[in-house]
Each structure stands twice: as C-alpha cells, then as structure tokens.
Amino acid sequence: MLYLGRRRMAYIDGLDLAESEALLDELWSYATKPALCWKNVWRVGDLVLWDNRCTMHRRDPFDAAARRVMHRTQVKGEAPPMA
C-alpha cells in the first residue's frame, strides 16, 4: 500500500532527492493513468462513496454558489470489505 500524494517537500527517505522525485513522478504517472481513474460528472441525487485506505481522490474547483451537501462517516475495523 502506498499513500501517494503531491505534496511540497515530499520525498522518499533513503533516496537522494533526484532519485526520490524520479520515482515519485513514475508512481504518480502510473496511478493517474486514465484507465485507472474515474471522474464523476455530478447530477442531482448523486451519491459517491470511497475507501480512503485504498483510493486517491481530489475535488476540482466548483461554483461557489452551488449547493453542496457532504457527510462523512467512518467504519470501525481493519478488514477490507468483502465482494
């Protein structure tokens, strides 16, 4: 499991900066391939859920005048959900 994000001053401990940046760039380019990504085109009534333990996610800019309702929940336990 990799917790991968684009953060200023992020690096891989034990590698020099150039090696660290090259490896992070390679991992990031793989993880963000279009075949591995999903983008929601929001419609009224949409509900989106994801597992923070194994999903990278972000939000794009949105109309500040638009109404957004967000709820956060947590599930107790460490076992992954079963298919």
Side-chain angles (χ1 to χ4, degrees):
M1 172 76 61
L2 292 175
Y3 292 97
L4 180 63
R6 286 288 188 190
R7 304 274 192 278
R8 196 176 315 156
M9 306 302 290
Y11 62 92
I12 298 174
D13 195 26
L15 296 181
D16 68 41
L17 187 56
E19 289 176 311
S20 174
E21 288 182 356
L23 180 54
L24 287 172
D25 286 344
E26 185 177 347
L27 291 170
W28 191 261
S29 69
Y30 179 83
T32 58
K33 284 183 177 181
L36 300 176
C37 294
W38 174 67
K39 181 176 181 175
N40 191 55
V41 179
W42 290 99
R43 296 176 303 196
V44 172
D46 277 357
L47 171 68
V48 176
L49 303 168
W50 63 86
D51 185 338
N52 273 342
R53 299 173 300 173
C54 57
T55 305
M56 294 190 327
H57 58 280
R58 71 167 199 202
R59 72 153 180 88
D60 291 327
F62 59 92
D63 180 356
R67 182 172 183 255
R68 299 176 74 218
V69 178
M70 298 180 69
H71 299 280
R72 181 175 187 266
T73 189
Q74 290 180 260
V75 177
K76 185 176 181 178
E78 296 177 5
M82 303 306 259

